[in-house]
Amino acid sequence: MKTGWLIYSEPDAVKNTSFIDWLKEEASLGGLSLELMYAERFAFGITENRLSLYYDLTETELPSFAIVRTIQPLLSRQLEAMGLKLFNPSAVSSVANDKARTHQFLAGAGIPMMDTLFIHPSIFQIQSMPFTFPLVAKLASGRGGEQVHLVKTERELADALSTHPEQEWILQKLAPDAGKDIRVFVVGNKIAGAVLRSSANDFRANYSLGGMAQFYHLNPAQTALVEQVISYFDIGMAGIDFLLDEKEAFIFNEVEDVVGSRTLSATSDINIARLYMEHIAAKLKKPESE
């Protein structure tokens, strides 16, 4: 039985106990074993001219693989450089966890997205902005709908940017059908299912912010666009979010690397944990060259 690390931050592990237990159960059924590891207890760097890794102050041996459920790009790259197989790979997490990098990475691929401006508050000048209000201001590193602001005036924009003046932001034109989006769940670079999220009271449709969810059946054009986005990544498990235009066509929004599955579980009988463990088991059986 191959053993892998399931890496969480300690606060997130407390909030996701049931999902962790679910992953462990499905891993066991698939011939794998998962050991919960806390990101805060790792120390890593270089010892005697070689990459090194410590856990609870003890230099530790690597398992067969790791599922990274926290956003620590440098830790992910260290683990990969030391030979560990990661789900998701660091190349996915480094792009997906930065909204500006995600849009920049996919630009020019013919994937529809809202007009977007990458800015840093310390050097941004309002008179250089080519867009008109209203706009959506998003912290590039934000997750779960946090630090996403609908701004209608210069003052509202300044107030939003002041919350994290030292970090990168993106400004986007407001989507035609604000308050509604589609989250497509992807496992092993295949579509597992999709959920329509909507809110009657907020331009953000996040379930964690009080939005509603229902299972969503993709049409052929939507499926083709999702598969086009997927083709640029090596996804273990992730969510890809799309906005909608006036004709219900998809507009790419973001990739959620450490995706939750509450909406999919609440609206379908799809066992995404089992699909994920089956994908990992299959990948571990393949030679590295494949």
Side-chain angles (χ1 to χ4, degrees):
M1 179 177 287
K2 292 187 176 180
T3 298
W5 287 342
L6 180 59
I7 303 177
Y8 269 87
S9 70
E10 294 193 59
D12 284 346
V14 172
K15 292 187 291 186
N16 290 278
T17 301
S18 59
F19 188 64
I20 290 169
D21 290 342
W22 188 18
L23 288 175
K24 286 184 174 181
E25 179 183 352
E26 294 298 338
S28 179
L29 292 173
L32 303 173
S33 175
L34 289 180
E35 180 182 1
L36 179 62
M37 306 288 280
Y38 298 111
E40 297 88 344
R41 299 187 189 180
F42 282 104
F44 59 97
I46 300 166
T47 303
E48 297 180 351
N49 301 320
R50 62 178 176 83
L51 295 174
S52 56
L53 181 74
Y54 301 84
Y55 192 77
D56 285 340
L57 302 181
T58 301
E59 194 161 8
T60 183
E61 293 186 2
L62 298 176
S64 298
F65 65 97
I67 300 171
V68 182
R69 297 284 297 173
T70 187
I71 301 172
Q72 296 226 8
L74 192 61
L75 173 60
S76 291
R77 287 193 291 271
Q78 179 93 357
L79 294 174
E80 280 184 335
M82 295 178 72
L84 190 58
K85 183 76 172 177
L86 295 193
F87 301 89
N88 288 318
S90 64
V92 173
S93 60
S94 64
V95 172
N97 290 308
D98 185 316
K99 293 178 173 61
R101 289 193 65 185
T102 306
H103 283 80
Q104 189 180 65
F105 179 72
L106 292 173
I111 296 166
M113 56 183 74
M114 301 304 299
D115 288 350
T116 301
L117 196 66
F118 312 141
I119 68 167
H120 193 290
S122 65
I123 59 173
F124 173 69
Q125 295 183 343
I126 191 69
Q127 60 266 31
S128 68
M129 186 174 69
F131 305 154
T132 56
F133 294 103
L135 297 170
V136 177
K138 302 179 183 180
L139 185 67
S141 60
R143 293 183 62 232
E146 298 295 332
Q147 295 303 327
V148 177
H149 307 264
L150 176 61
V151 294
K152 300 177 181 179
T153 64
E154 291 185 18
R155 171 46 56 193
E156 289 180 353
L157 176 57
D159 289 344
L161 299 180
S162 70
T163 61
H164 291 275
E166 74 292 349
Q167 296 190 40
E168 302 287 341
W169 288 74
I170 66 173
L171 301 180
Q172 289 183 323
K173 291 185 176 181
L174 188 63
D177 198 353
K180 183 185 294 184
D181 72 8
I182 310 296
R183 168 157 291 175
V184 182
F185 293 86
V186 177
V187 177
N189 272 35
K190 296 180 180 179
I191 297 171
V195 171
L196 167 66
R197 305 185 301 178
S198 59
S199 174
N201 305 310
D202 198 321
F203 74 101
R204 299 168 297 177
N206 302 70
Y207 194 64
S208 60
L209 299 177
M212 299 177 291
Q214 64 187 78
F215 192 77
Y216 187 86
H217 296 279
L218 303 176
N219 64 40
Q222 293 168 340
T223 298
L225 182 60
V226 175
E227 290 176 344
Q228 184 182 359
V229 174
I230 291 172
S231 71
Y232 290 92
F233 297 95
D234 177 17
I235 294 173
M237 185 172 82
I240 305 179
D241 296 347
F242 294 87
L243 306 169
L244 296 168
D245 70 10
E246 300 91 337
K247 297 181 179 180
E248 298 288 302
F250 275 3
I251 304 168
F252 172 78
N253 191 33
E254 63 181 289
V255 179
E256 190 79 14
D257 168 35
V258 185
V259 69
S261 66
R262 285 187 299 163
T263 53
L264 188 65
S265 298
T267 59
S268 76
D269 59 0
I270 295 171
N271 189 330
I272 197 167
R274 179 168 300 174
L275 293 176
Y276 197 15
M277 293 305 105
E278 289 175 347
H279 165 69
I280 291 173
K283 289 284 282 187
L284 293 175
K285 290 178 181 178
K286 290 183 177 180
E288 275 304 311
S289 58
E290 293 187 27

